[in-house]
Amino acid sequence: MLIIKNLHAEVEEKQILKGINLEVKAGEVHAIMGPNGSGKSSLASVLAGRESYQVTQGEVKFHGKDLLDMSPEDRAREGLFLAFQYPIEIPGVSNVNFLKTALAEIRQYRGLPPLEAKEFLKLSREKQKLVEFDAQLVNRSLNEGFSGGEKKRNEIFQLAMLEPSLAILDETDSGLDIDALRIVSQGVNKLRSKDNAFIIITHYQRLLEYIVPDFVHVLYNGRIVKSGTKDLALELEEKGYDWLKEEAREKAESI
Amino acid sequence: MGNDNEIIDNIANKEYEFGFVTDIEMDILPAGLNEDTIRYISEKKKEPEWLLEWRLKGFQAFRKQKLPEWQNFTLPSIDFQKISYYAAPRNKKKYNSLDEVDPELLATFEKLGIPLSEQKALAGVAVDAVFDSISVATTYKEKLKELGIIFCSFGEAVQEHPELVKKYVGSVVPYSDNIFAALNAAVFSDGSFVYIPKGVRCPMELSTYFRINTENTGQFERTLIIADEGSYVSYLEGCTAPMRDENQLHAAVVELIAMGNAEIKYSTVQNWYPGDKDGKGGIYNFVTKRGICKGDNAKISWTQVETGSAITWKYPSVILQGDNSTGEFYSVAVTRNKQIADTGTKMHHIGRNTRSRIISKGISAGEGQNSYRGLVQIGPKADEARNFTQCDSLLIGDRCGAHTFPYIESKNNSATVEHEATTSKIGEDQIFYLNARGIDSEKAVALIINGYVREVLNQLPMEFAVEAQKLLSITLEGSVG
Ligand SMILES: Nc1ncnc2c1ncn2[C@@H]1O[C@H](COP(=O)(O)OP(=O)(O)OP(=O)(O)O)[C@@H](O)[C@H]1O
Ligand SMILES: [Mg+2]
C-alpha cells in the first residue's frame, strides 16, 4: 500500500528526514516511536503534503501511485488520512458542514455522488457511536474551543467518517484521559480491516497494549534506527532511548 | 478622472464597432451642470413645480459643499462638469442573443445559477417574448394593489401620489446632507417608491420577483420607502449578478420611514464593476442611506453584502426617534485587487429604551482596503439605550488592510454601549488542515468565508442568501494560492 524509499526532506533549509525506508501493507499496523524532535511529525507532514517541507531525495508510492506528485487534497482523496498532533481551530465552520464537504469531495473524486442528507445523518450517528463522540461537538465550530482531548477525539471521528485506507495517527493518545484512550483505541480496532492500514505515532507503550501493532519502528535523528515487533515497545519503555542513540552514533561513526 | 467624455465616446465607438442595435434616445444632454440642466431634467419628467424648486435647492446646497476629506483613502478628483446628467439613462447595450454576450459574464451567471430568462434580461438581450417571470410580476402587482401597497418607480409616484412624495422626500436625508446627497437631489434620475398602509404585512419580498423588471435607473437613483403604523416590509435592492455600467460615479439616496410598530428590512447585494486588476474603470459608489424609526416600537434593519465597485462609501444609518425602537446593521464588505470600501453605520439614539445592533464583517484580499466606520450616538433623553457592536475583519494574504473607526458619543449615563472587534487571517495551517481532508484550497477558503459571514447572511431571505454565498466564493476565487 505504502512504500517509502530513501526519503529525505528539509524544512527551512534544515535537513529533518535523512533517508526513511518503510513499507506498509494492507491490514498492518505500524507504530513509530522516537524521542522528541526526531522527525515523526515531519514524516507525517511530508506524507500528507505540507508545503513547508521540501523533499530532497527519495520516493513514496501509495497504491502504486507517486504520492509526492499529488496535491494534499488528492492524497486525502486517494485514501490517506492524517490525524494531526495539533488539530487546527476553524471558527465559524461547523464540524458537520466541514465533514459533509470533505466526504462529498472524496466521493466525487471516486465518481460517487454526495450522500443524501438522510444518509449522511445516519452515517454520522453511526460513527459518533462507534467512537463515542459527543453529538454536541458535531454541531459546533470545527475544533473551536474544544479541549485538547476533544480535539483528538474529533480527529478519530473524522477518521471514522472518511474511512481512509491508510491512517496516520500522530500522538492521538497524548492528552486523552484513561477512558478516552480506551474508547479511541476500541474505535480504531473496530475500524481495522484487512484492507486498511495504520501508522501510529506515539510515545507510550500503553496505547500499543490496546492497539496491538505488527511492527514497531524507532525514528531517531531523521532515520529509522530500529524496527521490531511489539516487544520493542516494551523494551523502550524499560530502557529509554539512550542505548539506541548510542548505537546510532556508533553506526554513524563507523561509516 | 475627468475623461467621462472619452469614456462615453469609447462606448459609442465600441457599439459601432460591434454593430450593436442601439436605440439611442434623441435627447442626450451635453456634459455640464447648471440650473438649466436641472430645469431640463424636471421638465422631461413632467414634474410639478415644487419638485423643481426642491431640486434647485439641492443644487444650491451642492454648490456650497466640498468633497469629504475624512475618509481613509484618497478620493479621486471628480469633475462634475464633465458628466452628462441626462445622458440617455436607457442606453444600455442591447444584444440580439446570448451568443453575443461576453462569455465571461455568462460563465458567472452560470456559477450563480441564475435562470436563463433572467440571464438574458440582466445581460441586456433584447427579447420580445414575455417571460414567465414578468407575468409572475404582474400577478404579484395585482395582489399588492389589493392590499393598498404602492410599489412603483419614483417618477410614477411623483405623478400618481404627489402628496406622499412631497411629504416625505428629503425628510430623512435632507438635500443639504452631504455633497453627494445634494447632487442626487438636484439631478436624480429615478428609483423606487414603496408605501405600506397601516397594519399591512407585505406578503412578499419586494423586488425579488421584479428583479428583471427593474432596469438600471442610472447613476443617481432615489428610493423612498414608507411603512405606516404597524406595517411590515422587506425590500431587496440590487442583485448578485455582476453589474456593469458606463457611469463611473454613482450617488444614490435611500430614505426609509417606519411609523409606530412598523418594521422595514432593507437588504442590498451590491456587485458593481470593481475595475480591472489595477483598479481601472471601476465604479465609485457613494450612497446615502438613512432610515428613521419615527414611532414607538418601530424597527429598521439594514443588511448589505458589498462585493463590487472600485470605491464604496456608504453608511446606512438609523435615527431611533420613537421609544423602544430598534435599529440593526448587518454588513459584509469584500475588497480585493485595488478595491476600497469605507462603510459602516450610524445609530442615533434619541428615544427612550432604544436598541441598536451592529454586525460588520470585512473581508480583504489582494491589495484591498476595508474600513469600518461607525457612530453610535446617544442623546440626553435616550434613557436605557443600548448598543452592541461586533466588528470583525478577515484578511487573506498580507498586502491587504483592515481598519476600524468606531465613534461613540453618549450624553446619557444610563446607556450601555458594547463594542467587540476581532481581526483574523485565513492561515496556511487552516487551509492545509482542510486540504488534508480532501478539500481543495478554493473550497477551503469558501468554507471559511461562509462560516465567517453566516451571521449576516442569515438576515437575508433564504434564496438571496444562497446566491450571496455563491457570489462571495466567486468573488474570492483565486485570492489564496
Ligand atoms: N518549520 C520549521 N522550521 C524549523 N525547524 C522545524 C520546523 N518544523 C519542524 N522543525 C524541526 O524538525 C525537527 C523534527 O520535528 P518533528 O515535529 O517532526 O518532531 P517529532 O518527532 O514529531 O517530535 P515530538 O515527539 O516532540 O512531537 C525538530 O527539531 C523541529 O524543531
Ligand atoms: Mg510530533
Side-chain angles (χ1 to χ4, degrees), chain B residues 268-329:
Chain B
T268 310
V269 172
Q270 184 265 115
N271 191 14
W272 292 106
Y273 183 54
D276 63 11
K277 282 213 154 56
D278 302 317
K280 276 213 189 90
I283 283 169
Y284 305 154
N285 191 26
F286 301 146
V287 192
T288 308
K289 291 182 165 180
R290 193 175 302 148
I292 182 165
C293 289
K294 250 183 140 66
D296 293 352
N297 310 312
K299 182 174 175 184
I300 289 178
S301 179
W302 297 103
T303 304
Q304 59 174 33
V305 177
E306 305 278 332
T307 63
S309 296
I311 303 178
T312 301
W313 186 89
K314 72 185 245 190
Y315 315 91
S317 313
V318 186
I319 301 169
L320 297 155
Q321 191 181 61
D323 290 348
N324 312 314
S325 57
T326 307
E328 292 177 339
F329 174 74

Side-chain angles (χ1 to χ4, degrees), chain B residues 3-242:
Chain B
N3 56 352
D4 284 88
N5 283 336
E6 260 172 62
I7 293 172
I8 290 164
D9 280 356
N10 263 335
I11 284 155
N13 287 339
K14 252 196 197 137
E15 287 188 1
Y16 179 70
E17 185 181 296
F18 295 111
F20 292 127
V21 198
T22 317
D23 92 28
I24 295 169
E25 285 189 35
M26 295 302 287
D27 33 39
I28 296 179
L29 207 57
L33 181 58
N34 55 43
E35 288 204 358
D36 288 341
T37 326
I38 291 156
R39 285 178 199 284
Y40 179 88
I41 295 170
S42 191
E43 197 190 308
K44 270 279 153 206
K45 296 177 159 290
K46 301 193 178 64
E47 288 176 352
E49 190 61 26
W50 61 265
L51 192 52
L52 172 63
E53 290 302 318
W54 190 74
R55 282 181 183 273
L56 289 171
K57 281 191 218 155
F59 180 57
Q60 294 307 330
F62 168 73
R63 288 214 293 201
K64 284 190 209 126
Q65 306 233 24
K66 280 207 212 103
L67 285 174
E69 282 169 353
W70 43 262
Q71 68 279 5
N72 191 37
F73 58 88
T74 329
L75 198 67
S77 69
I78 299 167
D79 188 344
F80 292 101
Q81 292 303 335
K82 288 206 172 160
I83 297 172
S84 171
Y85 290 88
Y86 199 80
R90 300 274 185 261
N91 75 348
K92 263 178 120 181
K93 296 169 198 157
K94 291 276 181 214
Y95 303 86
N96 289 317
S97 81
L98 272 180
D99 299 341
E100 296 171 21
V101 177
D102 182 359
E104 212 175 286
L105 190 69
L106 291 181
T108 312
F109 285 159
E110 214 50 62
K111 285 184 195 164
L112 285 165
I114 293 170
L116 201 67
S117 57
E118 288 191 34
Q119 285 189 23
K120 286 185 182 172
L122 289 166
V125 174
V127 254
D128 307 318
V130 182
F131 318 127
D132 287 352
S133 4
I134 287 187
S135 39
V136 169
T138 325
T139 332
Y140 277 108
K141 259 196 168 141
E142 288 298 312
K143 193 161 179 199
L144 293 178
K145 215 169 168 184
E146 266 170 45
L147 291 164
I149 293 171
I150 304 167
F151 178 41
C152 61
S153 75
F154 200 94
E156 224 175 307
V158 169
Q159 302 304 327
E160 308 286 325
H161 310 281
E163 68 301 334
L164 282 173
V165 178
K166 192 175 176 181
K167 186 167 173 192
Y168 292 109
V169 72
S171 71
V172 193
V173 179
Y175 55 74
S176 54
D177 193 79
N178 65 69
I179 189 168
F180 300 113
L183 180 64
N184 179 290
V187 301
F188 71 85
S189 31
D190 208 336
S192 305
F193 178 87
V194 177
Y195 173 79
I196 315 288
K198 275 183 194 169
V200 170
R201 199 183 160 82
C202 185
M204 73 200 72
E205 315 287 342
L206 287 187
S207 129
T208 316
Y209 292 102
F210 306 88
R211 186 165 56 185
I212 59 167
N213 272 2
T214 44
E215 256 204 63
N216 165 25
T217 40
Q219 56 190 139
F220 302 109
E221 217 173 320
R222 192 156 193 111
T223 301
L224 178 56
I225 299 178
I226 304 146
D228 217 329
E229 274 169 41
S231 68
Y232 168 85
V233 63
S234 167
Y235 184 89
L236 306 179
E237 174 206 293
C239 74
T240 51

Side-chain angles (χ1 to χ4, degrees), chain A residues 11-12 14 16 35-42 53 85 171 203:
Chain A
V11 63
E12 292 183 9
K14 188 179 157 205
I16 310 284
N36 294 131
S38 57
K40 303 182 296 298
S41 294
S42 299
Y53 285 86
Q85 182 173 5
E171 294 197 27
H203 285 297

